[in-house]
Amino acid sequence: MRQEDREDAAEPPILYTPPSPLGVWHRAIGWGTFLIALLVRAAFLKQLQTSRLWEDLPGDAAMYRDWAAKIAAGQWVPAGAYEWSPLYAWFLAACFRLFGSGLMAPRLLQAVVGAATCVLVYRIGRQAFSPAAGLIAALVACVHGPSLFLDAAILPEVLAFFLSAAALYQIFAANASQRGLLASSGLCLGLAASARDSMIRVVPIIALWLILDPWLRGERAPGRARESAGRLATFALGLGLVLAPMAARNYHASGEFVLLTTGGGGPAVIADDVRYREAVPILLVADPVGWLLVPVAAAGLALSLARWREAFCFYLLIAGYAASTLLDFPAVPGLVLIPIALVLAGSGIEQTARAAAGRRWLRLLLAAAAFLGALLFAPAIL
C-alpha cells in the first residue's frame, strides 16, 4: 500500500452533522426577539408615561440627571477623581444635548438597548447550550419584569447589563481561545465597569476561568500554561483600554491612584414594586416571570452538570455571587447573574421537555428537586 493510501486509511471519516433547524434561522430569530422585546418595552413606557411615576427619580436617578445636565451645559468632568461611574452620565448628557432635557428620549434609547440585550441572551444560550435553549431564554428575557425596570429607569444598570451580556457572549463565541473576541470581551467588561463600578469585581472570576479552561478541556497538554497566559493577556489588553485612561485621569485630577471611582455609587433602588404594579399593568404579566426565574434556572443548572466543562464559567460566577451574599463580602454583583439565570432557565425548560418526552424519570426528578429547593431557599440568597 502506498504511503498516501496508508495515511488516508488512518484518518477517521468526516461525519456530517446537520445543523439545527433553529440554528439555520438564527438571524431571523435574533431580529424577531429584538422586535418582540422592543414592543414590550414600548408598551411599558406608554403605561409608565401616563402615570405619576414618569418624573419620579429616587436616589441615584436624580443625581445622574443633574450630573448629565451639567455635562450637557459644558462641564464635562468633575474637578477631582470620579465619585460616580461616568458612562451613564455621558449617555444622558448626549441625549439632553440632542433631544432636550426630557426623559422620553433616553428611555426610548434604553428600550432599544434592552431589546438588544435580549438578543445577546439568545446568542449566549445558543453558544453555551443550544439554539432552542437560547430562544426560550430570549423570550423569557423579553417579558422579565426586573429587566423592564432596568430598561426604563434613569440609572446606569441598563448599560451595565447590556455590556456585561455582550462580554459574556463574546467569551462564549470565542470558545475561550479567539484572541480578537477575548480582547473585545475585556473592552465590554471595562465599559460595564465604567457604567457601574461594581462590575469590576467580575474580572478575577473571568480571569480564573480563562486560566483553568485549557486544563478542563484537556487541550494541547504541553502548552497549557502558555495558552492560559495568552488568553489572559489578550483579555487584560481589552480591559486596560478602558481602565487605564480612567485611572490616569483620576490620578491627574486628584494626585491619588483611583482605578474607577472613589466609591460613591452604591447599589441603586429603583422604586417600590407595589407602586409600579398599580401604574404599569403590564407588570401583572411580567412579574411572575421574575419570581419563577431563579427556580427554573436552578433546574437548568442541575441538568447542565453533564456538560459542566462548557458551563464552568457560569458555575464560577454563581459561586462568587452566593459567597458574596452569604459571607457579606463584595465579589460578584447580582446584575451579572441575570443573563446567566435567563440562559440556565432556557436550558432548564428545554432539557425538562426533552426528559419528559423521553420518559427519563431520574432527570425529571433532579429538575423537580432543584426547582423546589430554589423556590424555598432562593429568597434567602437573592
Side-chain angles (χ1 to χ4, degrees):
M1 181 182 291
R2 294 180 304 171
Q3 178 67 23
E4 293 82 357
D5 294 337
R6 286 196 297 270
E7 291 178 355
D8 291 341
E11 293 180 357
I14 298 176
L15 301 178
Y16 172 71
T17 302
S20 164
L22 287 177
V24 173
W25 291 95
H26 74 94
R27 289 184 182 274
I29 292 172
W31 279 109
T33 297
F34 179 82
L35 292 176
I36 293 171
L38 192 60
L39 288 173
V40 173
R41 280 148 181 78
F44 183 96
L45 288 181
K46 181 63 176 177
Q47 294 178 354
L48 183 63
Q49 186 185 18
T50 59
S51 76
R52 65 186 184 280
L53 298 176
W54 181 260
E55 297 289 341
D56 186 27
L57 300 178
D60 293 3
M63 185 282 302
Y64 273 105
R65 180 200 56 193
D66 296 342
W67 185 9
K70 292 179 181 178
I71 296 175
Q75 185 179 336
W76 283 95
V77 293
Y82 289 119
E83 183 179 1
W84 304 80
S85 303
L87 184 61
Y88 186 69
W90 297 338
F91 165 79
L92 271 185
C95 291
F96 291 165
R97 287 291 295 268
L98 293 173
F99 306 109
S101 59
L103 299 179
M104 177 59 80
R107 281 178 164 145
L108 285 175
L109 290 175
Q110 289 177 198
V112 175
V113 172
T117 304
C118 294
V119 178
L120 287 172
V121 168
Y122 163 67
R123 290 178 175 268
I124 295 170
R126 182 172 177 265
Q127 291 286 342
F129 294 108
S130 69
L135 175 58
I136 296 169
L139 293 176
V140 174
C142 289
V143 294
H144 180 234
S147 296
L148 294 178
F149 275 120
L150 294 180
D151 297 341
I154 304 300
L155 290 170
E157 275 74 11
V158 60
L159 297 184
F161 186 22
F162 168 76
L163 290 164
S164 61
L168 283 174
Y169 164 65
Q170 289 172 95
I171 285 173
F172 276 96
N175 197 23
S177 60
Q178 296 184 37
R179 297 295 191 260
L181 286 174
L182 285 178
S184 60
S185 68
L187 179 67
C188 286
L189 193 55
L191 289 171
S194 70
R196 180 58 86 180
D197 55 6
S198 60
M199 297 300 295
I200 198 66
R201 302 170 191 164
V202 180
V203 171
I205 294 180
I206 297 295
L208 177 62
W209 179 69
L210 290 173
I211 293 171
L212 294 178
D213 185 68
W215 273 265
L216 296 176
R217 294 177 184 266
E219 297 173 355
R220 297 197 302 174
R224 286 173 177 169
R226 184 170 61 252
E227 177 67 14
S228 295
R231 296 178 182 187
L232 190 60
T234 306
F235 176 77
L237 175 64
L239 189 67
L241 291 176
V242 177
L243 300 188
M246 288 191 66
R249 186 263 159 202
N250 285 336
Y251 183 80
H252 177 76
S254 66
E256 299 178 357
F257 176 77
V258 177
L259 182 60
L260 289 169
T261 71
T262 56
V269 178
I270 295 177
D272 184 359
D273 286 351
V274 176
R275 294 191 304 153
Y276 271 85
R277 290 192 196 100
E278 294 174 352
V280 187
I282 198 173
L283 288 179
L284 296 176
V285 177
D287 268 358
V289 176
W291 300 336
L292 292 173
L293 177 62
V294 172
V296 177
L301 180 67
L303 294 176
S304 71
L305 293 176
R307 300 178 57 184
W308 65 271
R309 289 179 178 85
E310 290 84 351
F312 193 71
C313 182
F314 287 172
Y315 301 158
L316 286 177
L317 290 168
I318 292 170
Y321 175 72
S324 303
T325 305
L326 296 176
L327 302 179
D328 195 25
F329 73 93
V332 175
L335 191 66
V336 80
L337 266 293
I338 297 179
I340 293 174
L342 290 166
V343 169
L344 287 173
S347 177
I349 293 171
E350 181 203 15
Q351 292 186 71
T352 301
R354 290 183 183 275
R359 298 183 178 181
R360 302 174 67 181
W361 307 118
L362 288 178
R363 288 182 66 80
L364 286 174
L365 182 61
L366 177 62
F371 178 90
L372 293 174
L375 194 63
L376 292 173
F377 297 109
I381 298 175
L382 298 180

